[in-house]
Amino acid sequence: MARTRTSRAGVLALLLALVSGAGSAVAAEVPGPELVIDVEMQAVGFDESVAAAHGYAIVTDDDGAQRSVPVTAEAHAEEAAIARKRALGRATVVAGSCGTSRIVITDSTGFRTAGISTSFNVNRPAVGYSWFVDVAGGGSSVRRTFSGALASRTSWQHTFAHSVPKAGSYIASVARTSNAVLNNGTICFSGGPSDVSWVS
């Protein structure tokens, strides 16, 4: 069955229809903006022990804002390499976007099975991640947890099959607390992307 893209308003209508059992869930779709599945990740703080282990220090400016700065020759060289690669004069993340996160759910070829793919790309090497994927629909809600080391990679992706209890509309979302820890100590949180699909 072809993948169905649904609006935010349509998702609410679908869920209400599923819960109340009123009419066809597919017919409940209403116009509205599409769900966002690819969103910016945000720097929300720092892990000082990770920063120190990679030659960085977390400093606090006069206005109270924190930032990570290189303090060893190796860290300075890495910053220069990142700046050259990105053609920027400054590569240290202070606030704002530090990467992008994504999730996609599709109707898989298996009976009562959804295919889910989630990923992130960050703007500097990362040392580890904790990633939480929630799947809701059909009267059920399940969380899948993924975590591990990244060995200075700047991207991660995982695709998996998810069995569902019955045919219907299912929402897959990345929890906003999902994060990657960058090598300068920045904790980069997911923006909470989500997607919806009919699973037959």
Side-chain angles (χ1 to χ4, degrees):
M1 184 175 190
R3 181 178 176 209
T4 302
R5 292 308 306 264
T6 309
S7 65
R8 272 189 203 282
V11 171
L12 294 175
L14 286 168
L15 291 177
L16 288 173
L18 288 171
V19 171
S20 66
S24 167
V26 175
E29 181 177 341
V30 295
E34 278 194 341
L35 287 176
V36 175
I37 59 171
D38 196 359
V39 299
E40 288 187 348
M41 298 174 72
Q42 299 294 320
V44 297
F46 297 92
D47 185 320
E48 292 189 26
S49 62
V50 169
H54 292 86
Y56 293 83
I58 307 306
V59 299
T60 303
D61 293 332
D62 292 340
D63 62 1
Q66 287 189 311
R67 58 192 173 97
S68 177
V69 297
V71 293
T72 65
E74 292 83 1
H76 279 286
E78 181 170 15
E79 288 300 308
I82 290 172
R84 285 193 301 271
K85 183 177 178 182
R86 290 170 28 195
L88 296 175
R90 182 179 179 193
T92 302
V93 174
V94 177
S97 177
C98 53
T100 57
S101 58
R102 168 180 282 266
I103 192 164
V104 176
I105 181 172
T106 60
D107 188 11
S108 185
T109 54
F111 179 71
R112 302 286 189 266
T113 303
I116 299 173
S117 179
T118 184
S119 62
F120 62 78
N121 290 279
V122 290
N123 61 11
R124 62 178 304 117
V127 298
Y129 69 100
S130 297
W131 212 249
F132 313 106
V133 174
D134 297 314
V135 184
S140 67
S141 180
V142 177
R143 169 164 284 193
R144 301 283 296 269
T145 300
F146 310 97
S147 63
L150 285 172
S152 294
R153 287 166 32 210
T154 57
S155 64
W156 172 84
Q157 179 180 9
H158 185 66
T159 301
F160 61 96
H162 177 77
S163 297
V164 300
K166 60 184 178 181
S169 183
Y170 288 82
I171 299 173
S173 59
V174 176
R176 290 183 180 275
T177 53
S178 299
N179 66 85
V181 179
L182 310 187
N183 71 342
N184 69 346
T186 301
I187 302 173
C188 186
F189 270 47
S190 163
S194 60
D195 192 24
V196 62
S197 179
W198 182 267
V199 181
S200 57

